[in-house]
Amino acid sequence: MKHRQETIQVHCSGTRPLAFKRAVQQSPTYAIQRILRAWVVQTAWWAEEARHTYYEVVTAHGVYIICCRCRTQDLWYLVGIRD
């Protein structure tokens, strides 16, 4: 897996991601064909809570992508690409 830490734009239906676009120039919109798994990581529950939902998704380009949503700031990140 190639690790990344870049902000992305995500289009959702409710809380479910449907497609995303990278900030890279001339980047296509990646349609999400399937969510392989989703999980939540929660830290520092007693203070300023950090809760992130991760999605491992399959795109139309055949690339496995892991996306993370930072719910406290409503930000999305591309955190890894599977080869």
Side-chain angles (χ1 to χ4, degrees), residues 10-19 32-35 55 57 69 76:
V10 178
H11 303 285
C12 294
S13 175
T15 60
R16 182 180 174 12
L18 300 176
I32 295 172
Q33 294 178 336
R34 189 171 74 166
I35 296 174
Y55 297 91
V57 300
R69 181 179 184 184
W76 289 81

Side-chain angles (χ1 to χ4, degrees), residues 23-73:
V24 178
Q25 206 172 40
Q26 304 296 323
S27 171
T29 297
Y30 295 87
I32 295 172
Q33 294 178 336
R34 189 171 74 166
I35 296 174
L36 295 176
R37 64 186 178 129
W39 66 98
V40 175
V41 175
Q42 185 171 342
T43 60
W45 56 268
W46 60 91
E48 291 291 322
E49 185 174 332
R51 181 181 172 120
H52 305 285
T53 304
Y54 292 82
Y55 297 91
E56 185 172 11
V57 300
V58 177
T59 70
H61 299 290
V63 178
Y64 295 92
I65 306 292
I66 297 176
C67 297
C68 169
R69 181 179 184 184
C70 179
R71 292 183 189 265
T72 58
Q73 298 174 347

